[in-house]
Amino acid sequence: MRIRPGRVHSLITGIVVLIVTIAGLFVIPTGLGWFRVIWAVIGLVSAGLAFFNAFSRRGLPIYEVDAREPETYCPECGTAVGEGDRFCRQCGESLN
């Protein structure tokens, strides 16, 4: 089983947060300048975290679970290996 950060969900969330942030800047009256700054900072940080999750290998904890079990394991170290692998990616053991 592999667990990895949810990229599509994070990308959609980042785009929506950016749209809401920009729309809010047009709706908030100019007399509330300090509130507009806080609004923009919170929106940009939130969108940045969502995009970080979408494009980073590490990501943040929004998960997609892939429940497919790998078909073979390395006889030397027990690491899961793919169908076409000739060598273990962990220890380098030949799989033939």
Side-chain angles (χ1 to χ4, degrees):
M1 177 182 336
R2 293 184 323 190
I3 300 175
R4 62 187 182 276
R7 300 187 189 288
V8 174
H9 181 266
S10 297
L11 183 62
I12 293 169
T13 301
I15 292 170
V16 169
V17 168
L18 276 179
I19 291 171
V20 169
T21 301
I22 292 169
L25 289 175
F26 287 111
V27 173
I28 298 171
T30 55
L32 296 175
W34 58 272
F35 186 74
R36 290 174 66 138
V37 170
I38 293 172
W39 178 268
V41 168
I42 291 173
L44 291 176
V45 168
S46 300
L49 289 173
F51 287 132
F52 174 78
N53 192 40
F55 297 114
S56 170
R57 286 186 180 263
R58 283 188 12 212
L60 299 171
I62 300 173
Y63 293 107
E64 294 173 353
V65 177
D66 184 5
R68 292 178 292 168
E69 290 293 327
E71 299 195 11
T72 57
Y73 295 91
C74 172
E76 184 68 27
C77 67
T79 302
V81 294
E83 271 183 52
D85 290 347
R86 293 177 27 181
F87 297 95
C88 176
R89 295 180 183 189
Q90 182 71 28
C91 68
E93 180 72 20
S94 176
L95 300 174
N96 293 336

